[in-house]
């Protein structure tokens, strides 16, 4: 198995139970998650040795966030401690026509105050194979953006494969800010992952008929998006996840993968959702697993899509499934019959 | 915004968790609700100044019921205290082919013992714009029926617009009793709201092919029902909600509105239900909001249907949504994508 | 009503809440269930006098298992006490494409240590009408298999009607072991119940196009399976449940019944599942209810299918529904409208 | 073991969790209990065959109340079904200086509508040894009072030993009403159980220095109360429970027993309370167990006090302890060391 | 009753259940509280018309905080909306020798960004009788300190009585900062409330033998503290709460009150604690209630101490008790006997 | 910090909530714990690098047990996977005079099937400083006893300090079996930990006046026990924990330590218990921490007692406290005042 590093922000996630709205809730389920942390946990569940880099406050919430990672096998040796607070996000689960809603309370988090030079990247990357980051990390703060650049530059320099999930977050920065930073960052990226919204917001790539709100899809248009993403970023491999949001409860889920110059389109899953948060992260983890394992492009893609389809049936941000469970889905065991 | 009064019974609602049956339950979720109270809360959430009239016992359950209203902004200045008990209803959430079940334990409630003259209607209605009542209130007891008549007569006299949701409840009275009372009450009503079952039970209006059990709908038949309701009641505006009950989990939901002589039919929503109780009440609140805001009939109707569609994705009796959230649905944002 | 005996293992069932996976769970819902115990509870709910035979340890878990039976009206007079432990099973509820998962921890249970001669079958069966057993009981241990044979032989001898649900469990024994034992056991059985997997694993009956994983069904093939089951077992009545597993959340559910030489096919229900465990047991209970009540074959079959369709909308192993509730479904009341 | 009958009202008990007040609660723990029902369950746990007589409504709450009794082994064959509703009581657990609070919502319950002649007492008492009733049952309604008189008269006539816990409830009737009825009822009673408040309110027996609010105790004064109770009631055996309420969290608990003409005083227990409701009922059950078992007076008394001390460490109305567990306390094992 | 204004910060309070530590918790109970908000709720429960001034963010958490106030009768008309976030505090309930622990996450809250001139104090105070503030509000930020000064100055100018609970919070500011600001603020204060720690940290008043950690008390030393506080602050009325912390589970609780020149010492309560947070706030509310009602000093003090003793038996920050309940404690009903 | 190894069994612990008895429970809190695992977690919380050796089944429960260890920082590299099942124990929390009750369901666990040669002890102990085991491990099975001997022999041989908590469990083996095995095992042990019951059952050391049931203590008698334990075992250091069980809710807790030839007696803590399970384990961890840190005997003892006193205020088996928190208790901060 490979040695993999991811870097980003892990937050306390507070979610009401039973589809309650935030203003109804008198208790919250407390879990921990964040883009790159979710990728780390999933890769660890697939058997890799994974290190997660972040900065956490010196308080019980920082401890709990670290424990959440350790619990699922992620190495926390390179986590820095210090800073003001742990980021929080409140998640209101939507249902049917009512969308899920995220209220971010992540400003001033310990990781957002990271400064260049604080993370010993040389040491972190020594002997590692792969580095994964998302577009959320540089969006946290200008200094964090510098650290993100520092990280990919060093990873590339030390020979790691670098993947990046664009993950545009409109509550964190503007498209202009995102474009300025991300166009520098992708220079060091080998594998770019995104969806149509990311492409548009981060790189201004817009195709007629590609509509994030509607979610219906014309696969050829998406191929164009992928090709333009590859051109813009310089990455040879570009994956695009394709979510058809029929409602907050039901989605179709698939992806396409541009591997060098060949396109691969995955099977499409009709999902009845339990928790769609972390779907994209589990896709990234699945794809990295396939690529780092040297699988063929189609196989890696199918694994990534199946893994992330499974994720969306599991509560919490993290994809707590084994490779064997994903492979069973890839092989077409979708009947959901009780295993006993 | 407008000043609105509603009058009726608020109950303690006790519901098992996790789709358990009542005989399995060892804990109940405790919320509070009732037709006119639900309308009050929804109108308050839309920004109106709303007063709710009822009678509550002098005990902690009466306090809790009042608090539930205050919590969501409803004014409780005119709530009388006294009487024996707070009405209770037990709600067993159905699923798929198993229907939800309501066990009423509301007899002898404080409000059912209201006598004419106890509510200072003159004072209550002073400076108010709109009064809403439902057919449940007069069904609570003969004396309550008298108070209901007293209320609409006085509201009309003082120039308020009066709306009434017929809301026939077969466990509270017979069709004969309902017809006798309601035909007197609707004389003072400007806007009548109901469904096919109400029309039949309260006014004996039955059209072939209109079948409450089946729920499939022939819109022309329903128009006839609406027109006959208008004739019978003398109200110029009649709204009929159209529920196609595919199962306890999935419903189609729409409505039609006869505004003077023009018919309006709304968009139809395919809903995966979280809690359908209070669906009709949230429709009434949405319609009142539109009409009191002076919107066009079609706009008011679409708002009312979208609002009540949203309600059915929210646990509890009450529709805890803002005008902006409803307008987003009206504009067609049904994909349920996470807002973040 | 009839006097009915069932015999088997009741276990503690531990299930995470909210679709959590076992490795996420920090609390478990604790209920009790097992094939024949579930049949007993359901028959008791239909009004019969039911006795359940098993062996439970002398500890609070054994007490709790007995209490779970008594709570729902089952007579526990013939339950033996002693032995090492109560069997446990962990149930992870699946969703959408993720299958439910059962982790058995039932080895060394008190009942698995039963020895021939320990149960006073003569006394147990005195004055009773019907005996029900499943293929799980003989699979628990070789000595338990002997007791199972003892039970059916004695029941037959004393004139009871004997029914058996084949219920093959691959985690308990091999097809070879099952065939060896079950072919002896069915000699004493009047009514055989099973599905396509049972037929194949227990009697080696395989028809092309009958595929347990896919779940799609060609009814004629299933008729052949039923006929071969009747031939192999010597039973005049054979019922086959037909589950089309569309996903862990949605199933189609129906059954066919070979009564002497005539085939009966039931209505098919499209179910949104709450808890499919115990579906087969509730079918058996429904069928026994119909047959012991002397209903026509089609009527008994429709009752059994409707009963078990309802079960799958109720949490827990047990089918807590009345005859009247089932009859309402049989009569086509599937709209799930609130009963109030 | 003996065959014992008890008769009274069982209610749904709704209690907030975590010492919350009723106006804070958004969920209630749902259990079932009532004076005579609690005695029945405790006697069943001690190994007796116990029948409970009441009247329950024909709805799921009535079913659940019956199930709560069956679950713990009580026979429900003589429970009548019918009437309007199940009585409810809301229990707010106090702590420290804050008293527990009970809000009764039991008026109009099914059992309160019982009429003389409805219960087949002849059949109920056939072959039984002991009958237990409390002063709550006749307080429910005038007709219920008549049925209570009917029950003790018939029990006496058929040779059963009759015990009565005076259990004065000021929210149900006045001292005058209680005295009028209870002085007729105790004519048929062999064993009277009560505390100082009961003696005063039901029989006007007041001794200086006996103060229910303070709870401190002068044992000689209590002996006088007991002797006067014996004189007033004509019962040869009188037991008085002695509760020193130090706070809602800590009580001292003991009792005295006048057996014919000899006094017995029990050990006193210093209790840290979990749930004191049902304390008196578990004392009555313990005393009946001792007396029906033919134990010496002191032994029976010590058993009763130890049993009821244990009860107050267990949540819910019911005393779910075995004879062996009580005997361990009687023998002085009070250290609370873990049993492992 | 009086019209009262309080001003400060209300936070989301997140607390694990069952005495769990923060790093164990996977769910949090969500309530809302803050010094002045708690005073407002308690005064509202005593029957006063209370207005609470703060600033809340425009998001569902801000809405929920406002709803928590409205639910318990507090008027929210003068609450400003805007700013970045709602303050949060995490509360780990201690037990026995383990102290409770508060983790503040309140920096950057909406209210801390208040600027002078934003609150329309003239309008807020029009027609009001009393204004209450605590030393927490000026500690939130320098601009908030200015607004606090603005508030007391204007209140005084408009003739309101002003009370201030010193409430030193070492995690918010240093003693030097506190002294600088508070010495200016108390000029406008009529009633000062504090404990020995506040006196020392805010005014440098230290008496030998007064030890906040030990909590044992020499009442004469505390009188000296009170007198010095009166001198330093210029307030005629000074109340000091006296907490003897025996452990996290058991405290003694009393207070002394310097009214002009006469000292009053209250009864002392031995408390088994449910939730000690908000104890001081409920004391302040009780004292204000007594003083605004024109009671004698001793009576007001006893009421305040009894009210705050009760609070510490109730979960959450807020003292949900009525005047009648407090008076019952004042009259010495401490036995905690069930009220039924 | 040191490198420490512990070896034993970790179990799933299932405990009802709210002081419910096992037969009342319909949900269980699921945590994981076991003597040596608890020691490992506590030592990890004190900053050491800790490895835990056991054998877990290849199923989700085995995974969850491993995750529980990783979550709190314990290294699981040497955990073997395989075997039949994970041991379970059911814990009923006692209160006041009602003892806590443990129902073991640990027979046939994966670790109990360990065979000599399966654990690579050479590799496990390489570079480690300390090895800890308890008397539970050899009691699991004869083969496990052999592995336990293997472990201490090898640890000793490789120069590790070896500690052993005698931990006699009467449900696992007889005193005779324990004496036979443990007298061989202690030959390799440097530090022996136990209580009076262990001394008697494992080594037949009984002093008059030392009474496990009563729990009152005559310290001189306990010193004799310690000296005899040292003689019997050959260990130079012997620690004895002194628990005075006043009730299931209140205990006194202290210890004595024989270090070579000098006796040390600790401070005594009066504890109001939250969860006393794991108290002894946390004492062992505290003592090891002190000794491995090279502290003086008295200091190490006080740390161990304070640490284990804190543990008993925390739910679950594990002592989730830092060194700083323990030191605060050692310094006498017992008032439990809120830290804010």
């Amino acid at each position: 198995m490979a040695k993999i590093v991811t870097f980003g922000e892990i937050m306390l996630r507070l979610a009401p139970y039973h589809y309650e709205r935030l203003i109804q809730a008198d208790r919250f389920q407390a879990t921990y998650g964040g883009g790159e942390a979710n990728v780390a946990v999933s890769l660890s569940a697939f058997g890799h040795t994974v290190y997660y880099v972040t900065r956490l406050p010196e308080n019980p919430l920082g401890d709990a966030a670290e424990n959440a990672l350790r619990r699922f096998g992620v190495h926390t040796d390179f986590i820095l401690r210090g800073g003001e607070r742990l980021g929080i996000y409140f998640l209101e689960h939507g249902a049917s026509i009512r969308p899920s809603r995220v209220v971010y309370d992540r400003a001033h988090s310990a990781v957002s105050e990271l400064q260049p030079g604080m993370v010993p990247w040389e040491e972190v990357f020594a002997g590692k194979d792969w580095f994964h980051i998302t577009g959320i990390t540089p969006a946290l703060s200008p200094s964090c953006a510098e650290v993100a650049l520092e990280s990919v530059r060093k990873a590339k320099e030390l020979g790691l494969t670098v993947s990046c999930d664009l993950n545009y977050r409109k509550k964190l920065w503007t498209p202009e800010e995102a474009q300025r930073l991300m166009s520098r960052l992708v220079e060091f990226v080998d594998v770019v992952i995104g969806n149509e919204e990311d492409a548009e917001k981060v790189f201004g790539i817009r195709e007629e008929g590609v509509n994030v709100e509607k979610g219906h899809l014309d696969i050829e248009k998406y191929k164009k998006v992928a090709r333009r993403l590859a051109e813009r970023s310089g990455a040879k491999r570009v994956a695009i996840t394709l979510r058809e949001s029929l409602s907050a409860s039901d989605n179709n889920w698939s992806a396409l993968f541009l591997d060098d110059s060949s396109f691969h389109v995955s099977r499409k899953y009709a999902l009845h959702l339990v928790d769609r948060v972390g779907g994209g992260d589990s896709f990234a983890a699945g794809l990295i697993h396939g690529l780092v394992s040297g699988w063929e492009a189609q196989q890696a893609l199918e694994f990534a899509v199946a893994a992330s389809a499974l994720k969306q049936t599991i509560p919490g941000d993290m994809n707590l499934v084994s490779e064997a469970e994903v492979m069973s889905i890839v092989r077409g065991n979708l009947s959901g019959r009780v295993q006993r």
Side-chain angles (χ1 to χ4, degrees), chain A:
Chain A
M1 307 309 288
K3 294 195 169 166
I4 303 175
V5 177
T6 82
F7 163 45
E9 177 169 29
I10 185 167
M11 294 174 282
L12 168 60
R13 159 181 154 164
L14 296 169
Y17 290 85
H18 312 299
Y19 295 106
E20 285 183 335
R21 305 213 71 185
L22 286 167
I23 56 165
Q24 295 177 283
D26 70 337
R27 73 203 58 196
F28 293 119
Q29 187 178 34
T31 55
Y32 294 84
E36 305 83 354
N38 303 341
V39 171
V41 164
S42 182
L43 284 166
S44 173
F46 294 149
H48 302 282
T49 302
V50 190
Y51 293 81
Y52 179 65
V53 178
T54 193
R55 187 162 176 254
L56 295 173
E58 283 280 14
N59 67 23
L61 300 169
D63 296 343
E66 181 175 350
N67 288 356
L69 293 157
R70 297 198 298 201
R71 178 180 182 184
F72 296 112
V74 175
H75 293 261
T76 60
D77 313 52
F78 298 115
I79 291 182
L80 305 176
R81 299 302 287 264
E84 192 176 348
R85 62 185 298 263
L86 184 74
I88 298 176
Y89 83 96
F90 294 86
L91 173 62
E92 184 178 280
H93 288 291
S96 196
I97 61 167
R98 179 166 61 87
S100 290
R101 180 171 179 180
V102 165
V103 175
Y104 278 138
D105 183 15
R106 64 197 296 181
H108 315 287
S109 70
V111 71
S112 74
E113 297 164 343
L114 262 185
Q115 300 296 329
M118 289 174 76
V119 181
W121 290 117
E122 198 90 27
E123 187 186 347
V124 168
F125 290 136
K128 309 306 187 312
D129 304 301
W130 193 288
F131 177 56
H132 180 73
I133 194 171
T134 82
I136 299 170
T137 307
L140 297 176
S141 71
S143 72
C144 226
E146 288 309 309
V147 181
L149 285 173
E150 194 183 68
S151 72
V152 291
R153 193 179 296 120
K154 180 57 75 179
K156 201 71 211 159
E157 181 187 320
L158 293 176
L160 286 77
T161 304
V162 177
S163 56
C164 177
D165 187 339
L166 300 177
N167 253 340
Y168 178 73
R169 289 287 180 270
K170 66 168 177 270
K171 293 187 180 177
L172 296 181
W173 58 0
T174 63
E176 292 67 38
E177 292 169 321
Q179 292 192 29
R180 202 172 319 124
L181 191 288
M182 293 303 286
S183 57
R184 292 172 60 198
L185 194 143
V186 289
E187 286 179 43
F188 306 96
V189 171
D190 302 285
V191 182
V192 165
I193 302 166
N195 62 18
E196 72 282 19
E197 185 188 9
D198 297 330
E200 177 182 344
K201 295 297 164 45
V202 178
F203 290 112
I205 297 168
R206 180 170 193 129
E207 287 290 329
E208 282 303 305
V210 165
N211 185 325
V212 60
E213 282 307 316
K214 290 288 177 260
H216 300 300
L217 55 84
D218 172 343
I219 200 69
E220 291 309 315
K221 300 270 175 65
Y222 281 87
K223 286 185 179 173
K224 283 190 197 165
V225 171
R227 198 175 307 276
R228 290 175 62 186
L229 258 179
E231 290 162 8
R232 278 294 311 264
S233 67
K236 288 196 174 164
R237 291 165 151 178
V238 171
I240 293 190
T241 55
L242 303 166
R243 183 184 295 279
E244 296 165 82
S245 281
L246 310 178
S247 76
S249 304
D250 290 280
N251 281 193
N252 291 335
W253 180 250
S254 59
L256 69 81
F257 184 34
L258 170 60
D259 181 34
D260 217 332
S261 61
S262 68
F263 275 111
H264 303 269
V265 180
S266 81
R267 167 175 195 149
K268 183 193 289 188
Y269 295 92
L271 298 176
H272 190 65
L273 301 172
V274 170
D275 190 337
R276 53 149 286 180
V277 178
D281 304 324
S282 56
F283 175 84
L287 190 67
I288 294 169
H289 178 58
L291 296 179
V292 85
S293 301
W295 297 351
E296 307 232 323
Q298 183 73 31
Q299 190 184 1
L301 175 67
E302 293 292 1
F303 185 87
V305 172
S308 46
L310 268 177
K311 160 62 203 70
Q312 298 178 60
T313 70
I314 296 172
D317 277 40
M318 295 168 174
N319 196 20
L320 304 172
V321 298
S322 67
E323 188 195 72
E325 289 177 309
V326 178
M327 291 308 287
S328 171
I329 298 297
V330 170
R331 285 194 300 270
N333 298 324
L334 305 177
S335 72
R337 284 187 96 96
V338 184
Q339 303 299 311
R340 67 179 166 191

